[in-house]
Amino acid sequence: TWMRWEDGKPDWETISGATEASYKPGTLDKTTSYSRGASQRGCKSYYSNKVTIIVQETQEPDGGTIMLFPSPSSEVCEGVNPGMLSNTKGASGCPGAGDYFYSWEKKEEGDDVWVPAGLFGTEGSAGLNKLYKTTSFRRKATRGDCVAWSNAITITVIPKVDGGKISGNQSVSAGADAD
């Protein structure tokens, strides 16, 4: 006879009808342990070692969370480096083992499409260059065929102010009004 113990239950239970030498459990939604018992002509049952099938909860792929560091403001003057995009929560939910590979995408003001930003790494943070247009950034996390994106950070660029030109060099006598 086969016995099972499901995660969260207090005791082992006999699996009805499972009397063969092997047992195929079918679809599981909880971590479950199995053991096979054997007895002969009503004598005491002896049980095999325990085998556990761990069921991992499915999770939607999540690209994590990023923030602008060190600036608490998402506004910068034109031509200024705003700092770096910093990882505050790593990517999760993609099946498999190993590190996530991070690349960065950007979308400049007026554009409808995200394009590669030329920033890469496995740490999840990236330094930025000087900005001349309002730009949004997001992190793309990849593990195998699974891809997920972080939140987007928009950095507003404040355009340079043109001081204009003035004219009117003059020579005036002391005490006279200038134009």
Side-chain angles (χ1 to χ4, degrees), residues 77-98:
C77 295
E78 183 178 334
V80 171
N81 181 324
M84 70 182 296
L85 296 167
S86 182
N87 180 41
T88 59
K89 181 182 139 219
S92 62
C94 285

Side-chain angles (χ1 to χ4, degrees), residues 101-114:
F101 177 77
Y102 295 113
S103 59
W104 296 81
E105 297 177 336
K106 69 178 180 178
K107 183 168 65 168
E108 292 182 339
E109 186 174 39
D111 292 344
D112 294 328
V113 179
W114 291 91

Side-chain angles (χ1 to χ4, degrees), residues 118-153:
L119 309 167
F120 302 95
T122 57
E123 298 302 315
S125 298
L128 296 173
N129 297 316
K130 295 176 181 178
L131 294 179
Y132 296 92
K133 291 176 88 173
T134 295
T135 307
S136 296
F137 293 91
R138 68 181 182 182
R139 183 180 63 198
K140 179 180 176 182
T142 307
R143 181 192 281 163
D145 293 335
C146 181
V147 177
W149 286 270
S150 71
N151 59 307
I153 299 287

